[in-house]
Amino acid sequence: MERQSTYTATATIDERGILTGWSDGARRLLGYESPAVIGRPAAGLLATDPAAARRTLAGQGRWHGTVPLRHQDGRRLELNVLAHRRTSGTGRTDWLVVSAVTDRPQPPRGDPLEEWTFLQSPFPLAVFGPDLRLLRANRRLEDALALPEAAMRGLRLAHIVPGTASEEAERSMRAALESGRPQEARGRLGADLARTLALTPLKDADGRVRAVCLSLPPPDPGAAGPRRPAGEADGRAATTADQVLAAQELGKATVPRLADAMTVDLLDPPRSGPGGPPPGQVVLRRAALRADPGGGPARGTCVGEAVVCPAGSPPARCLATARPLLYDTAEPGIAEWAALDPCAGWLRASGTRFLLAVPLLTGDGPLGVALFGRTPGREPFGPQDVRLAEEFAAKAAACVEQARAEAPPRAPAPLPHGLPPHPPPGQAALEIATRWLPAATGTGPGGDWFDVIPLSGARVALVVGDVVGHGIRVSATVGRLRTAVRTLADVDLPPDELLTHLDDLVLRLAADEGSADPAAESAGGIGTTCLYAVYDPVSRRCGAARAGHPPPAVVTPDGTVRFLDVPAGPPLGMGGPPFETVETELPEGSLLALCTNGPSGARDHALGRALERVPEEPASSLDSVCDRVLAELLGHRPEDDTALLLARTRALHGDRVACWELDNEPTVVSRVRRYVDEQLSAWDLEEATFTTELIASELVTNALRYGRPPIRLRLLRPGTGLICEVYDAGGSTPHMRRARIFDEGGRGLLLVAQLAERWGTRHERTGKTVWAEQSLTAL
């Protein structure tokens, strides 16, 4: 029977922050009965700022530390808690929060030699009491789990490492306690491979079982290469063929000899072939995390968890350049990354001042990156340190490559996804940041995609979609849909009409595939979801329509987070009611968030929660915000691809827009030239006056001849472009035609096409706008 002085308080919290589980231990600890807290926000129990707690947990897969909680009677309690992010087979994510409550004294320490043997054993060791609660843990176990003994003391193994393997190990521990005979159990600790755990009963002088020792013996020698003398640059990192253990051996070889703390992060999924990682963020998997034993266990992103490194961060730069890089964490850019990025938590915990990033390179390209940190008490890294670090990293890379070569055959690597590796096109209406994270499973290229398309009149279209399934057929469908969207966007169709044409295309693709291959796995994109939005920086209005896709989220400058009320519409190819465009006005500086992946409700809550913190960090770049939002959405590698597009709105103010209502008479053309001349002089663009006068006069002349009043002229100056637009209420579309020698007309649009960088016609609900755009950089 469990002692009354020792118990465990547990609670579960869903991804919305709502309490879904409350143990009897939690009731004893905080005084709340289960019905009083289940279904309520967990933040109500905190005696601190909930936003700070959300920031702390952002992107974490596990966290431990002291949390101030409020007892039912109003008392403030400082509790040591351990929190695990868990994901079910259905993709549902929640947090398991545990806290051990005990007044049991620490077990007496033995002979110093025995203590040294236990603490410095090369194998992970832990001692559990008769109630299966942890009493002692040595340093190798702390390293393996990336947890200090203090965070685990008083907890059962199933709470330290949740999972069925731990529950089975506990049953074997109970058998060892009851029988007095050693037992074995299959399990894994931290990033170690699943191996046999040895469970040894510990007996007193009278032969009574007092505790059980859990140990992780070394792996089968046949699975590892020959060991070499410790301390040699090529020995430590080459002691095993297992890639994770090789990374951890690199840590033991370099801390504290070379650095006070270090990490090794491997590219995830494993890459092959020459070249560095794709531009933008880099997805890695933490393989080693180590700090000087004299300074306590290392803390930060746990071993085995995903690490999303933003573009420009030291790991991303190191992999992109494929050479060692030196940093001072006091530098503003590095300091911001070290302070805000969850994967840099070890820098803060170790007090690192000087940082050395070294790539793990092989003949086929980079495998990952090793980061070495020194505290202010040591000298900065010098050339000799860099050479030594490169030597260690090269040996570790060879071991990792060997382990991958000896691994069981894997499915062929998936084909590259159809998303563009290049940055979004230049435009002045929106500041853009995008991320795409492939699925953790090797199921081939997925169907998540996005695009940013500049339109006429300085407007910009944002599109995000998700084709059902994975594989080559899906990748081909993504390419067809993306090309179709760009083609339809070029003719400036409203969002609802564009989706209607796209729906017809999906039906035709499905019919073509069905007739060509009745057994085809793909349905030509049927069931595809898509969201298409257009933002106008002059009116600051955004129009959007969606085909079964989740609506976009908006964060206004005052911090309000909401989802645009856009009618869902059916997925493409499914039939049903027509699509509908909804327009809304967005204040300048608003943030639009479009994403894919996950059930709508769960994703909306997670996205809304991540966006709530955006106003708290106004100085952050949009790339940094994008990384933090992605970390909030994904505490682990997703089971499906995930695309995220963030856009911060800009406004084209009156000093960059000029508009005139024109009379419907031929003499107005001369006034148009004067309007253009005066406006371009005010904008200091006299060098563009002659060309713009010709374009404007030709467009106005066509509107007078073939259009209907009212007629309007508008000049726009967005960024490095100059746009001339002429609106009339007529519905006819102008076309270029070949003028014969003696024809008096027919050369106007040909002249416009020669003078402008691009031109076109935009049809509106009533009337049309003919526009022509010039590049000021070419003048």
mmCIF file with all atom_site columns, all heavy atoms in Angstrom, residues 258-269:
data_model
loop_
_atom_site.group_PDB
_atom_site.id
_atom_site.type_symbol
_atom_site.label_atom_id
_atom_site.label_alt_id
_atom_site.label_comp_id
_atom_site.label_asym_id
_atom_site.label_entity_id
_atom_site.label_seq_id
_atom_site.pdbx_PDB_ins_code
_atom_site.Cartn_x
_atom_site.Cartn_y
_atom_site.Cartn_z
_atom_site.occupancy
_atom_site.B_iso_or_equiv
_atom_site.pdbx_formal_charge
_atom_site.auth_seq_id
_atom_site.auth_comp_id
_atom_site.auth_asym_id
_atom_site.auth_atom_id
_atom_site.pdbx_PDB_model_num
ATOM 1  N N   . LEU A 1 258 ? 37.105 20.565 -24.519 1.00 0.00 ? 258 LEU A N   1
ATOM 2  C CA  . LEU A 1 258 ? 37.032 21.608 -25.537 1.00 0.00 ? 258 LEU A CA  1
ATOM 3  C C   . LEU A 1 258 ? 35.984 22.657 -25.218 1.00 0.00 ? 258 LEU A C   1
ATOM 4  O O   . LEU A 1 258 ? 36.144 23.837 -25.550 1.00 0.00 ? 258 LEU A O   1
ATOM 5  C CB  . LEU A 1 258 ? 36.726 20.971 -26.902 1.00 0.00 ? 258 LEU A CB  1
ATOM 6  C CG  . LEU A 1 258 ? 36.548 21.914 -28.094 1.00 0.00 ? 258 LEU A CG  1
ATOM 7  C CD1 . LEU A 1 258 ? 37.873 22.605 -28.411 1.00 0.00 ? 258 LEU A CD1 1
ATOM 8  C CD2 . LEU A 1 258 ? 36.040 21.155 -29.313 1.00 0.00 ? 258 LEU A CD2 1
ATOM 9  N N   . ALA A 1 259 ? 34.873 22.260 -24.591 1.00 0.00 ? 259 ALA A N   1
ATOM 10 C CA  . ALA A 1 259 ? 33.752 23.169 -24.375 1.00 0.00 ? 259 ALA A CA  1
ATOM 11 C C   . ALA A 1 259 ? 33.100 22.859 -23.036 1.00 0.00 ? 259 ALA A C   1
ATOM 12 O O   . ALA A 1 259 ? 33.301 21.790 -22.448 1.00 0.00 ? 259 ALA A O   1
ATOM 13 C CB  . ALA A 1 259 ? 32.733 23.039 -25.504 1.00 0.00 ? 259 ALA A CB  1
ATOM 14 N N   . ASP A 1 260 ? 32.317 23.819 -22.547 1.00 0.00 ? 260 ASP A N   1
ATOM 15 C CA  . ASP A 1 260 ? 31.563 23.630 -21.305 1.00 0.00 ? 260 ASP A CA  1
ATOM 16 C C   . ASP A 1 260 ? 30.218 22.964 -21.558 1.00 0.00 ? 260 ASP A C   1
ATOM 17 O O   . ASP A 1 260 ? 29.625 22.395 -20.643 1.00 0.00 ? 260 ASP A O   1
ATOM 18 C CB  . ASP A 1 260 ? 31.342 24.981 -20.615 1.00 0.00 ? 260 ASP A CB  1
ATOM 19 C CG  . ASP A 1 260 ? 32.649 25.632 -20.212 1.00 0.00 ? 260 ASP A CG  1
ATOM 20 O OD1 . ASP A 1 260 ? 33.458 24.953 -19.555 1.00 0.00 ? 260 ASP A OD1 1
ATOM 21 O OD2 . ASP A 1 260 ? 32.878 26.802 -20.571 1.00 0.00 ? 260 ASP A OD2 1
ATOM 22 N N   . ALA A 1 261 ? 29.708 23.052 -22.772 1.00 0.00 ? 261 ALA A N   1
ATOM 23 C CA  . ALA A 1 261 ? 28.445 22.416 -23.141 1.00 0.00 ? 261 ALA A CA  1
ATOM 24 C C   . ALA A 1 261 ? 28.433 22.233 -24.649 1.00 0.00 ? 261 ALA A C   1
ATOM 25 O O   . ALA A 1 261 ? 29.119 22.961 -25.383 1.00 0.00 ? 261 ALA A O   1
ATOM 26 C CB  . ALA A 1 261 ? 27.249 23.256 -22.695 1.00 0.00 ? 261 ALA A CB  1
ATOM 27 N N   . MET A 1 262 ? 27.666 21.261 -25.111 1.00 0.00 ? 262 MET A N   1
ATOM 28 C CA  . MET A 1 262 ? 27.607 21.011 -26.553 1.00 0.00 ? 262 MET A CA  1
ATOM 29 C C   . MET A 1 262 ? 26.332 20.264 -26.905 1.00 0.00 ? 262 MET A C   1
ATOM 30 O O   . MET A 1 262 ? 25.695 19.648 -26.044 1.00 0.00 ? 262 MET A O   1
ATOM 31 C CB  . MET A 1 262 ? 28.825 20.224 -27.027 1.00 0.00 ? 262 MET A CB  1
ATOM 32 C CG  . MET A 1 262 ? 28.965 18.818 -26.488 1.00 0.00 ? 262 MET A CG  1
ATOM 33 S SD  . MET A 1 262 ? 28.018 17.542 -27.377 1.00 0.00 ? 262 MET A SD  1
ATOM 34 C CE  . MET A 1 262 ? 28.872 17.582 -28.943 1.00 0.00 ? 262 MET A CE  1
ATOM 35 N N   . THR A 1 263 ? 25.961 20.338 -28.177 1.00 0.00 ? 263 THR A N   1
ATOM 36 C CA  . THR A 1 263 ? 24.859 19.545 -28.715 1.00 0.00 ? 263 THR A CA  1
ATOM 37 C C   . THR A 1 263 ? 25.268 19.001 -30.077 1.00 0.00 ? 263 THR A C   1
ATOM 38 O O   . THR A 1 263 ? 26.118 19.577 -30.762 1.00 0.00 ? 263 THR A O   1
ATOM 39 C CB  . THR A 1 263 ? 23.571 20.373 -28.903 1.00 0.00 ? 263 THR A CB  1
ATOM 40 O OG1 . THR A 1 263 ? 23.801 21.388 -29.877 1.00 0.00 ? 263 THR A OG1 1
ATOM 41 C CG2 . THR A 1 263 ? 23.108 21.001 -27.609 1.00 0.00 ? 263 THR A CG2 1
ATOM 42 N N   . VAL A 1 264 ? 24.664 17.889 -30.453 1.00 0.00 ? 264 VAL A N   1
ATOM 43 C CA  . VAL A 1 264 ? 24.783 17.359 -31.813 1.00 0.00 ? 264 VAL A CA  1
ATOM 44 C C   . VAL A 1 264 ? 23.372 17.177 -32.347 1.00 0.00 ? 264 VAL A C   1
ATOM 45 O O   . VAL A 1 264 ? 22.550 16.495 -31.723 1.00 0.00 ? 264 VAL A O   1
ATOM 46 C CB  . VAL A 1 264 ? 25.537 16.019 -31.853 1.00 0.00 ? 264 VAL A CB  1
ATOM 47 C CG1 . VAL A 1 264 ? 25.574 15.481 -33.287 1.00 0.00 ? 264 VAL A CG1 1
ATOM 48 C CG2 . VAL A 1 264 ? 26.954 16.184 -31.324 1.00 0.00 ? 264 VAL A CG2 1
ATOM 49 N N   . ASP A 1 265 ? 23.074 17.803 -33.465 1.00 0.00 ? 265 ASP A N   1
ATOM 50 C CA  . ASP A 1 265 ? 21.771 17.694 -34.107 1.00 0.00 ? 265 ASP A CA  1
ATOM 51 C C   . ASP A 1 265 ? 21.971 17.129 -35.506 1.00 0.00 ? 265 ASP A C   1
ATOM 52 O O   . ASP A 1 265 ? 22.773 17.650 -36.289 1.00 0.00 ? 265 ASP A O   1
ATOM 53 C CB  . ASP A 1 265 ? 21.080 19.061 -34.188 1.00 0.00 ? 265 ASP A CB  1
ATOM 54 C CG  . ASP A 1 265 ? 20.820 19.649 -32.812 1.00 0.00 ? 265 ASP A CG  1
ATOM 55 O OD1 . ASP A 1 265 ? 20.491 18.875 -31.909 1.00 0.00 ? 265 ASP A OD1 1
ATOM 56 O OD2 . ASP A 1 265 ? 20.976 20.875 -32.647 1.00 0.00 ? 265 ASP A OD2 1
ATOM 57 N N   . LEU A 1 266 ? 21.247 16.051 -35.821 1.00 0.00 ? 266 LEU A N   1
ATOM 58 C CA  . LEU A 1 266 ? 21.380 15.374 -37.115 1.00 0.00 ? 266 LEU A CA  1
ATOM 59 C C   . LEU A 1 266 ? 20.230 15.759 -38.029 1.00 0.00 ? 266 LEU A C   1
ATOM 60 O O   . LEU A 1 266 ? 19.104 15.956 -37.558 1.00 0.00 ? 266 LEU A O   1
ATOM 61 C CB  . LEU A 1 266 ? 21.411 13.857 -36.930 1.00 0.00 ? 266 LEU A CB  1
ATOM 62 C CG  . LEU A 1 266 ? 22.549 13.318 -36.058 1.00 0.00 ? 266 LEU A CG  1
ATOM 63 C CD1 . LEU A 1 266 ? 22.450 11.808 -35.936 1.00 0.00 ? 266 LEU A CD1 1
ATOM 64 C CD2 . LEU A 1 266 ? 23.912 13.719 -36.602 1.00 0.00 ? 266 LEU A CD2 1
ATOM 65 N N   . LEU A 1 267 ? 20.531 15.877 -39.311 1.00 0.00 ? 267 LEU A N   1
ATOM 66 C CA  . LEU A 1 267 ? 19.492 16.210 -40.280 1.00 0.00 ? 267 LEU A CA  1
ATOM 67 C C   . LEU A 1 267 ? 18.388 15.173 -40.232 1.00 0.00 ? 267 LEU A C   1
ATOM 68 O O   . LEU A 1 267 ? 18.650 13.968 -40.159 1.00 0.00 ? 267 LEU A O   1
ATOM 69 C CB  . LEU A 1 267 ? 20.073 16.284 -41.690 1.00 0.00 ? 267 LEU A CB  1
ATOM 70 C CG  . LEU A 1 267 ? 20.788 17.594 -42.039 1.00 0.00 ? 267 LEU A CG  1
ATOM 71 C CD1 . LEU A 1 267 ? 21.599 17.418 -43.286 1.00 0.00 ? 267 LEU A CD1 1
ATOM 72 C CD2 . LEU A 1 267 ? 19.792 18.720 -42.203 1.00 0.00 ? 267 LEU A CD2 1
ATOM 73 N N   . ASP A 1 268 ? 17.154 15.624 -40.267 1.00 0.00 ? 268 ASP A N   1
ATOM 74 C CA  . ASP A 1 268 ? 15.998 14.744 -40.122 1.00 0.00 ? 268 ASP A CA  1
ATOM 75 C C   . ASP A 1 268 ? 14.977 15.110 -41.193 1.00 0.00 ? 268 ASP A C   1
ATOM 76 O O   . ASP A 1 268 ? 14.493 16.237 -41.224 1.00 0.00 ? 268 ASP A O   1
ATOM 77 C CB  . ASP A 1 268 ? 15.383 14.944 -38.745 1.00 0.00 ? 268 ASP A CB  1
ATOM 78 C CG  . ASP A 1 268 ? 14.271 13.962 -38.452 1.00 0.00 ? 268 ASP A CG  1
ATOM 79 O OD1 . ASP A 1 268 ? 14.282 12.894 -39.075 1.00 0.00 ? 268 ASP A OD1 1
ATOM 80 O OD2 . ASP A 1 268 ? 13.411 14.276 -37.622 1.00 0.00 ? 268 ASP A OD2 1
ATOM 81 N N   . PRO A 1 269 ? 14.597 14.199 -42.135 1.00 0.00 ? 269 PRO A N   1
ATOM 82 C CA  . PRO A 1 269 ? 15.084 12.822 -42.224 1.00 0.00 ? 269 PRO A CA  1
ATOM 83 C C   . PRO A 1 269 ? 16.497 12.769 -42.764 1.00 0.00 ? 269 PRO A C   1
ATOM 84 O O   . PRO A 1 269 ? 16.968 13.750 -43.328 1.00 0.00 ? 269 PRO A O   1
ATOM 85 C CB  . PRO A 1 269 ? 14.100 12.174 -43.207 1.00 0.00 ? 269 PRO A CB  1
ATOM 86 C CG  . PRO A 1 269 ? 13.676 13.302 -44.074 1.00 0.00 ? 269 PRO A CG  1
ATOM 87 C CD  . PRO A 1 269 ? 13.615 14.519 -43.174 1.00 0.00 ? 269 PRO A CD  1
#
